[in-house]
Amino acid sequence: MSCLSGIRLSLLACGAAVLSALTCPIEARAGFSPEQLEGFELSHIRGTVTIVLPDQKVLEIIDPEGHREIITVGVDLTPLAITPGQGVDVSLLDGLVVDLQRSQDSKLSFNREDIIIPKDMGPLKQGMRVALASGTARVMKLSRKDRSISLLGPLGGIHNLDVLVDTTDDLFPQLKAGDLINFRLIQPVAVDVKPITVADGVRGTTDPQPMLARSINTGASLKAELLEAFEITQLVGSITRLMPSDQVLEIKTPYGHTMLISSGVDLSAAGFTVGDEVSVDLLDGLVVDLRPSPVKRLRFERDDMILSEDFGPVREGAKVVMATGTAEVVKLSESDNEISLRGPFGGVHNLDVRQSIFGDPMTTLSVGDYVEFRMIKPIAIAIRKSS
């Protein structure tokens, strides 16, 4: 799931957003077909409304972690009578990239055009307002398994966009985090907005997340079948905390998220220091157990393990972090079977959920629910200083 963030609301609702006439077919103007629109994926997010513009069909919300999200809404907001300060649950069609090309220009750019859908096209229905965007951006994160990408432009980030397959010249398999690209995309669009009474959850702590557990299990191993559930992701960021001898580091991404990562590579040998800009290949976090919690609370416990044997690309002797606790569900992606959780130390984003969990909890969960979880934290398998 993704939303456009870090952009002034006036840019979205006023001069830079031009409402297109219906005389030109949407296929010719936008460069996509109704069949391609089947690639849209549905996600859910909860937040508190800060600004609502019914005529322009735009909402600005703050999610439970304090991040601002600006959302184009495809349905009529007027009957909902939403006001600032009110909580909402939003169902979103994730952003969809319809064209990618390498950029020869190092200057980042962003252009937006709003159109009204003239007829039903896949999940987009006649009369919906949709924002198209084009420009130049830097790749901040990508996942090859689910063909998703996060971009950073001159006005902020567009996160977790799905990328259509280009049957003539597919650039996506050759991309790396840090590359500059020219893009055309359909921005995320809300297809349902439900006012709720309260969007605020249990408060977390301002203390930093502990980088080490109290003890280490030195004879640990992971089941080989778990490898099939992991996704390998590339991302770029800066090192904010570092403990080379303990194989752990914290990365801050350009769009503000921090991620605590155990390292399967020797941090001391590479000579990394706090403040370094790095590109990281990592096994995404994997939820191996998930169930509804009978109580609303935030809890986090950490268990450090040293692998006694190789686990795919992670070598014997590497540190792996298991986490258990209670957290609030802040985002859900139905198609990708991904979840984002908010614990006492903040959010853990876009976690893959193991398909074989008893009871298939992803089919019954909603944003705002509290869950008991057990997960393997992200593991770095390669780290390079960014040029």
Side-chain angles (χ1 to χ4, degrees):
M1 191 286 299
S2 57
C3 295
L4 185 63
S5 60
I7 296 182
R8 296 177 183 172
L9 197 62
S10 58
L11 177 60
L12 290 177
C14 302
V18 179
L19 193 60
S20 301
L22 300 183
T23 55
C24 181
I26 186 171
E27 294 91 341
R29 180 179 294 277
F32 54 80
S33 66
E35 291 74 23
Q36 288 176 315
L37 292 179
E38 298 300 331
F40 267 118
E41 296 182 356
L42 188 66
S43 297
H44 307 277
I45 185 172
R46 169 169 289 196
T48 301
V49 175
T50 51
I51 300 176
V52 56
L53 299 174
D55 292 342
Q56 291 81 11
K57 294 189 176 181
V58 173
L59 280 178
E60 182 187 71
I61 69 171
I62 297 180
D63 70 19
E65 291 186 82
H67 298 138
R68 293 182 182 272
E69 309 280 0
I70 299 173
I71 302 170
T72 301
V73 182
V75 297
D76 188 1
L77 284 172
T78 303
L80 300 177
I82 294 172
T83 58
Q86 191 169 7
V88 289
D89 283 347
V90 182
S91 297
L92 285 165
L93 295 175
D94 290 348
L96 191 64
V97 178
V98 298
D99 186 36
L100 282 176
Q101 298 179 2
R102 291 196 183 277
S103 177
Q104 303 303 316
D105 191 352
S106 60
K107 184 178 180 180
L108 305 183
S109 63
F110 179 86
N111 302 293
R112 170 178 165 134
E113 179 183 21
D114 286 10
I115 63 172
I116 300 298
I117 299 296
K119 62 182 180 180
D120 290 353
M121 300 180 68
L124 299 179
K125 304 306 178 184
Q126 182 178 359
M128 279 188 174
R129 181 174 183 147
V130 174
L132 311 179
S134 62
T136 302
R138 189 175 298 278
V139 178
M140 293 291 100
K141 181 180 179 182
L142 61 88
S143 174
R144 302 198 189 284
K145 185 175 180 180
D146 61 8
R147 288 185 65 92
S148 66
I149 194 169
S150 294
L151 303 176
L152 186 70
L155 304 168
I158 312 177
H159 312 305
N160 302 317
L161 299 158
D162 299 308
V163 181
L164 290 178
V165 176
D166 187 336
T167 57
T168 59
D169 183 20
D170 193 8
L171 175 63
F172 186 81
Q174 286 77 50
L175 284 180
K176 303 186 300 296
D179 285 352
L180 282 166
I181 54 98
N182 295 326
F183 66 88
R184 289 190 301 118
L185 61 87
I186 310 169
Q187 290 184 215
V189 56
V191 294
D192 190 24
V193 180
K194 295 180 179 178
I196 59 175
T197 304
V198 178
D200 296 330
V202 177
R203 291 186 180 275
T205 177
T206 57
D207 294 335
Q209 183 178 163
M211 296 186 72
L212 299 175
R214 294 180 179 178
S215 60
I216 298 179
N217 179 357
T218 57
S221 62
L222 296 175
K223 295 180 180 179
E225 58 263 29
L226 289 176
L227 272 176
E228 298 179 1
F230 272 104
E231 291 188 10
I232 296 179
T233 294
Q234 286 188 352
L235 61 84
V236 295
S238 58
I239 298 176
T240 52
R241 291 193 289 169
L242 179 67
M243 299 182 70
S245 61
D246 294 294
Q247 298 174 258
V248 63
L249 72 162
E250 183 182 70
I251 299 292
K252 184 174 183 179
T253 67
Y255 37 87
H257 293 154
T258 57
M259 179 182 295
L260 198 61
I261 303 170
S262 59
S263 177
V265 299
D266 188 347
L267 295 174
S268 300
F272 294 115
T273 60
V274 172
D276 281 349
E277 299 288 333
V278 292
S279 174
V280 184
D281 297 351
L282 74 160
L283 298 180
D284 279 351
L286 179 66
V287 177
V288 296
D289 191 22
L290 188 69
R291 62 194 68 187
S293 174
V295 294
K296 291 186 176 182
R297 61 177 178 177
L298 300 180
R299 181 177 61 88
F300 178 88
E301 296 178 5
R302 174 187 173 124
D303 182 20
D304 290 2
M305 308 184 305
I306 302 298
L307 292 182
S308 59
E309 58 187 15
D310 290 352
F311 178 68
V314 187
R315 299 307 177 197
E316 176 185 353
K319 176 179 285 188
V320 174
V321 178
M322 299 291 296
T324 58
T326 309
E328 181 187 10
V329 178
V330 293
K331 292 180 183 177
L332 285 169
S333 178
E334 296 179 0
S335 303
D336 291 339
N337 213 47
E338 290 182 348
I339 193 169
S340 293
L341 301 175
R342 181 183 68 90
F345 299 105
V348 187
H349 305 282
N350 303 315
L351 297 164
D352 297 305
V353 179
R354 191 182 180 193
Q355 296 279 359
S356 58
I357 293 178
F358 178 76
D360 196 8
M362 288 290 287
T363 61
T364 57
L365 287 176
S366 301
V367 289
D369 287 349
Y370 284 74
V371 293
E372 306 286 344
F373 68 88
R374 180 170 174 80
M375 63 172 289
I376 305 171
K377 298 275 282 181
I379 309 166
I381 56 175
I383 308 174
R384 301 166 295 275
K385 290 186 178 180
S386 298
S387 58

